[in-house]
Amino acid sequence: MQTIRRMMEHLYWADRRIMEALDENGTKDKDILKLVRHVAVAEQVWLSRLEGKGSSQYALWEEEDDVGTLKTMFEENERRYRNYIDRLEENRLDDIVEYANQSGVPFRTSVRDILSQVLLHGQYHRGQINRALRQDSAEPVQVDFITFARL
């Protein structure tokens, strides 16, 4: 659990850093904001599944032009994930979660693997967001784990 907790702390930190970069750069690029929203919604989708709820109410690829709304989404995600992780016991990491993906296809995945997906998915897209910020003549932000670990 210690590693998962640490990695989740990195996720919260990295999400905040991306939002700070958007604020600082005043980014209005719809593709960048759509990708940021995708990360926030994907976090919501996976947490909903971990909590035994459906996820069909979530649209993964909608546009959002309000940075404040995105910031609120990440703040809520952090609050909800902290609550979930605080209650999660190590002996439950290999429990199997049954869920349907956004297309309705059923799957069975361990809690451990779902949390790993959340962590890796966000980091993958934060790299894309940083690249897009650079192409938009904005300053990308350092979100590597080692940067977080050095704090």
Side-chain angles (χ1 to χ4, degrees), residues 38-151:
H38 171 75
V39 173
V41 173
E43 289 176 8
Q44 293 171 347
V45 164
W46 286 111
L47 185 57
S48 183
R49 292 171 180 165
L50 286 167
E51 294 174 334
K53 304 172 187 171
S55 62
S56 62
Q57 70 273 26
Y58 296 104
L60 286 167
W61 289 106
E62 288 186 355
E63 291 185 6
E64 178 59 63
D65 59 3
D66 180 30
V67 174
T69 298
L70 295 170
K71 183 178 178 184
T72 300
M73 290 171 75
F74 282 116
E75 288 169 351
E76 179 66 10
N77 288 354
E78 180 177 344
R79 184 191 65 75
R80 290 182 60 216
Y81 268 101
R82 283 186 185 281
N83 187 37
Y84 177 81
I85 297 293
D86 285 348
R87 293 186 331 263
L88 183 62
E89 297 175 15
E90 188 162 1
N91 65 346
R92 306 305 305 253
L93 287 172
D94 293 315
D95 286 1
I96 298 299
V97 177
E98 295 185 23
Y99 61 94
N101 70 5
Q102 298 309 97
S103 300
V105 178
F107 288 95
R108 295 171 38 90
T109 308
S110 72
V111 169
R112 181 187 314 272
D113 287 345
I114 289 173
L115 290 172
S116 296
Q117 167 63 20
V118 171
L119 295 162
L120 295 170
H121 177 263
Q123 192 65 1
Y124 169 75
H125 285 305
R126 283 188 289 275
Q128 291 179 317
I129 292 163
N130 264 331
R131 180 180 174 148
L133 283 170
R134 185 182 311 267
Q135 290 173 338
D136 195 38
S137 300
E139 191 64 32
V141 63
Q142 181 58 256
V143 292
D144 283 349
F145 179 81
I146 197 66
T147 302
F148 165 79
R150 291 174 180 153
L151 296 176

Side-chain angles (χ1 to χ4, degrees), residues 7-16 43 118-119 126:
M7 297 302 294
M8 290 301 294
E9 289 298 326
H10 171 258
L11 177 135
Y12 311 141
W13 172 83
D15 285 346
R16 286 192 302 271
E43 289 176 8
V118 171
L119 295 162
R126 283 188 289 275

